[in-house]
Amino acid sequence: PRIGYSQDAEPYRIGVLLPTTGAGANYSERPIKGLPLIAAEINKRGGFLGKHPIELIFRDTQTKPDVGSREARSLILNEKVKTIIGMWSSAVAMAVQEIVHEHKVLHLAATSNSSKIVNENYTPYTFLFGPNSQMQSSATVVAVARMIKEKGWKNYVTIGLDYEWGRDAQRVFVGELAKISPETKLIKELWARLGETDFTSYITAIMGLKPDFVFGAIAGKDNETFLQQAKGAGFFQRVSYPGVFLPVTELMQQRSTLPRGIIGLNRCPFFAHMDNPIMKKYVELYQNKFGKNDYPDDFACMYFDSLNALDQIITRVGTTETEQVRKAMTGATIETCRGKLTFRDCNNQLDCPSYLGKVADVP
């Protein structure tokens, strides 16, 4: 589908690559619903620079790198998009990076967050809007190191999804924890395939090993599956599970069943920044459209920020010409729903926080 406005001025076409099928579909729902709201706000004043209405063109990546590459190439060659926003899977993002680099098209990565996207796989055309896996795992280490001291933990197990993000998040956690707490022993690494539907054998194996705590690198539908199956097996009564990935999506979807007291990690929770006018506006826009019981999740908020950042930089340079926009965005400070944040000029990573907290019921 296309969402835009037919006007005489040349529209600014943006390709949105997100999975509506596959493991990341539940994290795509709110960005797909929400992005048109921000585009409509900008289009009320004529679009970028008041004369380039935004046209969003959505494509399904199916959470597959080859499909993502094919769709990216089609968006660039056939739809003439100037910017691509997306993806969910880091493996898909890295495949698409080859295409955007070749064709010199901007890529705003608002969900996928493997550190390789901005480091080993760096291209000057990609900008990362969330904390990358290195930043997130390091944030978890800060919290877990405190808990190790408080609770006298001696050993742990890791369970991760066997693909780019899961491997990267686990690798960084293990490496960083070894620096801060070298005496804490990793006794087992477990790896589940992306799209796993039965975690029983992993849950049984972990409980049999009796670790002091478990670090998990599981996301998407797989995360929901794991949490529900682990809860049913009495896992959380016997094993500490600090730092599980719990974006607002999970908090909403599993509000009645999520174990209280577990330590969760997320990237952009709206409730941490309701004193920020931008965040307040995002939530109002979203709820006016979709109702008071729905909230923009971490991903929707980071997609809103990516489109708003593009608007801010285009306004700053006074042109939609890609090379000028790209150069101006590198190292730029932008207004976001998380406050004023700056892109690192060495790799286009937004210097943004990670959020860690305890799952609890509050008014």
Side-chain angles (χ1 to χ4, degrees), residues 1 10 33 41 44 60 83 93 97 172 188 191 194:
E10 183 194 351
K33 286 185 350 185
E41 287 294 298
K44 277 180 190 172
D60 179 13
T83 295
Q97 280 185 289
V172 174
K188 186 81 174 174
W191 297 100
L194 190 62

Side-chain angles (χ1 to χ4, degrees), residues 213-289:
F213 71 94
V214 175
F215 171 76
I218 307 174
K221 288 179 181 174
D222 301 4
N223 199 24
E224 183 177 0
T225 304
F226 175 78
L227 288 169
Q228 297 309 327
Q229 291 177 0
K231 187 184 179 191
F235 181 87
F236 300 109
Q237 276 82 50
R238 296 168 63 182
V239 180
S240 290
Y241 191 57
V244 56
F245 186 47
L246 283 181
V248 173
T249 330
E250 315 284 3
L251 297 178
M252 284 191 284
Q253 286 174 346
Q254 303 180 57
R255 69 178 75 181
S256 59
T257 58
L258 206 59
R260 274 35 175 185
I262 61 171
I263 305 295
L265 173 77
N266 52 24
R267 295 181 199 167
C268 185
F270 71 89
F271 50 81
H273 291 291
M274 285 303 284
D275 56 343
N276 180 314
I278 296 176
M279 182 66 89
K280 200 173 174 186
K281 184 184 175 185
Y282 284 168
V283 174
E284 279 173 13
L285 269 176
Y286 191 90
Q287 292 196 321
N288 286 344
K289 179 74 176 175

Side-chain angles (χ1 to χ4, degrees), residues 155-157 187-188 190 199-214 226 230 233-240:
N155 57 47
Y156 71 107
V157 167
I187 51 177
K188 186 81 174 174
L190 295 169
F199 286 93
T200 309
S201 61
Y202 302 98
I203 293 162
T204 305
I206 292 168
M207 291 199 293
L209 289 163
K210 297 182 179 172
D212 289 329
F213 71 94
V214 175
F226 175 78
F235 181 87
F236 300 109
Q237 276 82 50
R238 296 168 63 182
V239 180
S240 290

Side-chain angles (χ1 to χ4, degrees), residues 10-14 48 52-55 82-83 310 314 320:
E10 183 194 351
Y12 189 102
R13 292 192 176 91
I14 297 173
F48 293 139
H52 299 289
I54 297 166
E55 188 176 338
K82 287 192 167 188
T83 295
L310 186 59
I314 286 173
T320 57

Side-chain angles (χ1 to χ4, degrees), residues 149-170:
K149 280 185 182 171
E150 285 168 17
K151 299 174 186 295
W153 288 341
K154 301 281 190 289
N155 57 47
Y156 71 107
V157 167
T158 66
I159 177 166
L161 290 179
D162 193 6
Y163 84 112
E164 178 52 46
W165 171 80
R167 287 274 175 186
D168 198 45
Q170 189 266 5

